[in-house]
Amino acid sequence: MSIPKHIAIIMDGNGRWAKKRLLPRVAGHARGVKRVKEIIEHCSHIGVKYLTLFAFGRENWKRPQTEVSFLMNLLLEQLDKEFLHLHEEDVKIRFIGDRSRLDKIICEKIEVIEKLTNANKKLNLNVAVDYSGSYDIIQAINTVLAEGKHKNITREVLEKYLLTYPNPAPDLFIRTSGEIRISNFMLWQIAYTELYFTSKLWPDFNKQALDDAIKWFQTRERRYGKISEQLE
Ligand code: FPP
């Protein structure tokens, strides 16, 4: 059975997970980080080649300052601990998104990790921070215009400037927590992606839950606009 080459995940429901337990919202994020680690390891283990995680969206700055700071500190902590450790697991880590609003210390650590893991081969991990799909498309267009090399923007040209280039498009998109929305994640890249929504909250999304999503994916017939016979 085919394992999706690229999985993209919106890790939603941390706040609700905490609320159900009468805990502060940030306790859900802290628990969510544990699942991040489990899911990265599991993907690497089963042969997924690309994993893109939505860690912080461009609209997330509008959350209470205390929550934004907590999430940024959590990221900083992961940069120092888990992400460094992933180098030993042959994981190539890349951060996609706008770096201009991130703290200098976060940007520096991101650059160190990207350099350190650049030649790694087992799993390509993209962590989306201050990211949105529309931001990605607009930055791609602006870079093409600034370079002035292309007269026309074609699909092939634009794709080379997306932050996920040269990764293939996701095969499987997962959103936890029961919301049936894309929420401005990878708008361009998911044109033909299989979309999987689960009511499980992110802190409850364990490797078994990922296996269930993959089993569902394996039942899908991917047609890319063709009819079934043309695929054979
Ligand atoms: C959505 O849940 C989750 C986020 C906005 C943050 C996701 C972050 C993590 C899982 C931890 C940090 C990850 C890394 C890679 C360091 P929500 O708060 O919107 O939940 P709710 O919809 O129930 O309120």
Side-chain angles (χ1 to χ4, degrees), residues 3-176:
I3 293 290
K5 208 170 168 187
H6 186 170
I7 301 181
I9 310 182
I10 297 188
M11 309 177 287
D12 196 11
N14 293 346
R16 275 164 283 170
W17 182 92
K19 197 173 170 200
K20 266 173 50 179
R21 290 161 179 79
L22 305 176
L23 294 168
R25 290 178 52 80
V26 293
H29 296 315
R31 182 54 77 99
V33 167
K34 295 206 168 118
R35 293 299 181 200
V36 170
K37 184 169 176 260
E38 178 178 342
I39 294 302
I40 294 171
E41 278 169 7
H42 193 51
C43 280
S44 175
H45 183 69
I46 62 178
V48 172
K49 295 311 286 181
Y50 301 87
L51 174 66
T52 303
L53 300 176
F54 204 3
F56 192 87
R58 284 183 73 71
E59 287 78 22
N60 290 153
W61 295 108
K62 294 179 199 144
R63 293 187 175 208
Q65 185 51 43
T66 48
E67 185 173 341
V68 170
S69 299
F70 187 90
L71 282 167
M72 288 299 152
N73 281 329
L74 216 51
L75 176 62
L76 204 54
E77 212 178 278
Q78 295 311 301
L79 289 166
D80 284 332
K81 291 196 310 199
E82 292 308 330
F83 289 153
L84 270 181
H85 164 72
L86 287 173
H87 177 48
E88 291 147 36
E89 307 292 321
D90 202 18
V91 177
K92 174 173 172 159
I93 308 177
R94 197 155 58 131
F95 291 82
I96 56 170
D98 179 5
R99 297 192 187 178
S100 69
R101 300 191 285 191
L102 300 178
D103 277 357
K104 197 162 162 262
I105 178 83
I106 292 187
C107 290
E108 284 168 3
K109 286 182 193 267
I110 280 177
E111 279 167 29
V112 168
I113 287 191
E114 286 184 333
K115 266 201 194 121
L116 179 72
T117 64
N118 189 41
N120 292 349
K121 294 266 180 304
K122 186 139 195 252
L123 170 72
N124 291 272
L125 171 67
N126 300 317
V127 184
V129 179
D130 203 4
Y131 175 89
S132 76
S134 47
Y135 168 80
D136 195 0
I137 296 167
I138 290 166
Q139 71 74 32
I141 295 171
N142 282 327
T143 313
V144 175
L145 292 176
E147 281 186 9
K149 280 198 309 210
H150 300 280
K151 265 196 177 155
N152 296 308
I153 297 181
T154 61
R155 182 176 132 179
E156 288 74 20
V157 167
L158 194 96
E159 282 178 350
K160 288 201 170 72
Y161 289 81
L162 292 175
L163 295 168
T164 47
Y165 184 80
N167 296 177
D171 303 290
L172 172 62
F173 161 101
I174 298 171
R175 182 177 190 144
T176 58

